[in-house]
Amino acid sequence: MVSLSYCLSDGSLKFPTEVILEDPHNNITEYIFEKIGVDLHRKPEHPIGILKNAILGYFENKFGESSFRMFDDLNPVVTSYENFDSVLVPENHVSRSMNDTYYVTSDRVLRCHTSAHQLSLLKKGERKFLVAGDVYRRDSIDATHFPVFHQMEGVRVYTKEELEQSALPPKEFVSQELKRTLEGLALHLFGDVELRWVDAYFPFTDPSYELEIFFKGQWMEVLGCGVMEPKILNNADLNEERAWAFGLGLERLAMVLFDIPDIRLFWTDDSRFTKQFEPKMFRSGGTGMRKFKSYSKYPPCFKDVSFWLPDTSEFTENSLCEIVRSVAGGLVEEVKLIDDFRNPKTGKVSNCFRITYRSMDRSLTDEEINELQDSVRAQMTEKLHVTLR
Ligand code: DAH
């Protein structure tokens, strides 16, 4: 049994619990494991930290210095109850599968959203709070998807007395407050942009919405939100209260705000990236704010892999991506299905994926790419039971 822990900046252990790597349910690769504890959202000079602080700044300005409490160092390992059940994710929802979520053991996961902390913070008596943290999802690979990213969550509870002061029914009142607050946030971040509300579905809110802004010629989703399902509040013994909640992805917004073209750049130590950011650089609405200046990209290298899908087991793109990621780490830029074909006679299905390798920091040699690709191919046969063509 291997037990793992990592240190917080103050030297304390963040992970006193043992992670049993041999647990049959554990699907956390070394590459992902190394990302735990990096905590980009806690670095004030990093674009993720800068954006987190800009959002916190909005709430402090609007509601007062210590009105919203910020939690940004909650353990990313949570129980599957916290990650799913506590926010009413249905028993059979796909996000619970090992194809979508990183499991530590059968009942503990790397959180796939910061909503996992809603109930426990409510139970601890918190009534207005923000949660920022790293979240983990097994996913496809491209310029905007990375299996580790950062989210920010906000919750505001209204007491019975506060609800009674409004002439509106509680749900409508809270919904209106929510929209007003988040419209303010979007304008604070993006300036004078056009906004629209789109109906959405989340198991933990009703009604649920997404807020979109019209930015650089297209509509872009900024966040998801809604009026919290009363059942969650009841589970925290809040029977007469109502609340709103929202969640947003920090990378996506930071990419737009600072003009960052590739999600992998957030993880680079290259000073041509890191030197372009500093703690106080955020300007509301981006007015006069310095943007990221791309430095020249190194050339990509494309490798195609064609194979017959197995008859006996299920093949998923996520598990292919996981293999590519575990072999090539941050050197993989995209994994894309370019051909999907069924032989009409045999019924066998053949896929071809194009893997794009590119380093953010240097030129790659043919030799090293071939070595990576060979290793990907070998693992595909061994672990995914495909037949290479
Ligand atoms: N947890 C959602 C996600 O990861 C985001 C979200 C939507 C959070 C609505 C919320 C909410 O608190 O009310 O996609």
Side-chain angles (χ1 to χ4, degrees), residues 50 131 140 215 362:
I50 296 170
V131 181
S140 49
F215 198 76
R362 63 191 174 85

Side-chain angles (χ1 to χ4, degrees), residues 101-197:
T101 294
Y102 290 105
Y103 278 83
V104 179
T105 60
S106 61
D107 57 4
R108 290 201 305 151
V109 301
L110 293 179
R111 66 183 162 211
C112 64
H113 53 180
T114 42
S115 309
H117 299 288
Q118 283 188 4
L119 180 61
S120 42
L121 289 171
L122 289 171
K123 278 188 172 169
K124 287 200 176 108
E126 299 299 334
R127 298 293 177 261
K128 292 179 192 169
F129 55 86
L130 300 168
V131 181
D134 39 336
V135 300
Y136 298 77
R137 293 184 194 174
R138 288 180 102 236
D139 212 337
S140 49
I141 301 181
D142 63 32
T144 58
H145 289 90
F146 200 75
V148 189
F149 59 104
H150 298 78
Q151 279 190 337
M152 199 145 160
E153 188 91 6
V155 171
R156 156 88 153 101
V157 179
Y158 293 83
T159 60
K160 188 175 173 221
E161 293 69 38
E162 284 172 310
L163 297 170
E164 280 169 357
Q165 274 166 22
S166 166
L168 292 171
K171 208 160 144 174
E172 268 165 56
F173 167 67
V174 173
S175 179
Q176 211 173 68
E177 290 273 302
L178 165 73
K179 287 184 170 177
R180 213 168 36 91
T181 306
L182 296 178
E183 284 169 7
L185 174 63
L187 298 178
H188 173 65
L189 296 178
F190 295 97
D192 194 12
V193 289
E194 212 183 320
L195 305 172
R196 74 176 181 197
W197 288 99

Side-chain angles (χ1 to χ4, degrees), residues 132-303:
D134 39 336
V135 300
Y136 298 77
R137 293 184 194 174
R138 288 180 102 236
D139 212 337
S140 49
I141 301 181
D142 63 32
T144 58
H145 289 90
F146 200 75
V148 189
F149 59 104
H150 298 78
Q151 279 190 337
M152 199 145 160
E153 188 91 6
V155 171
R156 156 88 153 101
V157 179
Y158 293 83
T159 60
K160 188 175 173 221
E161 293 69 38
E162 284 172 310
L163 297 170
E164 280 169 357
Q165 274 166 22
S166 166
L168 292 171
K171 208 160 144 174
E172 268 165 56
F173 167 67
V174 173
S175 179
Q176 211 173 68
E177 290 273 302
L178 165 73
K179 287 184 170 177
R180 213 168 36 91
T181 306
L182 296 178
E183 284 169 7
L185 174 63
L187 298 178
H188 173 65
L189 296 178
F190 295 97
D192 194 12
V193 289
E194 212 183 320
L195 305 172
R196 74 176 181 197
W197 288 99
V198 179
D199 288 331
Y201 169 78
F202 302 106
F204 29 91
T205 45
D206 177 36
S208 306
Y209 307 102
E210 280 169 359
L211 176 57
E212 297 188 343
I213 60 168
F214 197 70
F215 198 76
K216 293 193 179 156
Q218 54 183 330
W219 287 102
M220 182 189 97
E221 183 208 321
V222 172
L223 52 81
C225 65
V227 178
M228 191 181 285
E229 279 290 353
K231 188 152 188 260
I232 301 176
L233 291 163
N234 295 347
N235 287 342
D237 281 332
L238 298 169
N239 300 309
E240 319 234 45
E241 290 78 354
R242 285 287 176 273
W244 55 243
F246 74 88
L248 54 81
L250 290 169
E251 271 82 350
R252 244 163 50 85
L253 300 189
M255 286 174 84
V256 173
L257 272 176
F258 298 112
D259 269 350
I260 299 172
D262 190 306
I263 197 166
R264 291 176 302 162
L265 282 164
F266 290 107
W267 297 91
T268 186
D269 289 328
D270 192 319
S271 62
R272 289 172 300 174
F273 180 80
T274 55
K275 284 236 173 82
Q276 294 196 39
F277 299 94
E278 60 195 23
K280 295 225 159 72
M281 73 186 274
F282 174 77
R283 295 284 171 275
S284 182
T287 321
M289 187 171 75
R290 204 159 16 86
K291 301 278 178 172
F292 173 67
K293 284 198 193 61
S294 278
Y295 40 89
S296 64
K297 274 191 167 186
Y298 290 90
C301 175
F302 306 103
K303 291 280 171 193

Side-chain angles (χ1 to χ4, degrees), residues 23-61:
D23 189 291
H25 292 94
N26 191 310
N27 58 353
I28 304 173
T29 58
E30 183 97 15
Y31 182 72
I32 297 300
F33 183 74
E34 281 168 11
K35 299 285 182 275
I36 304 176
V38 177
D39 289 350
L40 298 178
H41 60 288
R42 286 164 57 88
K43 299 186 196 299
E45 70 290 352
H46 189 279
I48 297 298
I50 296 170
L51 178 56
K52 177 195 90 176
N53 285 329
I55 295 171
L56 175 63
Y58 166 78
F59 280 91
E60 288 185 336
N61 267 336

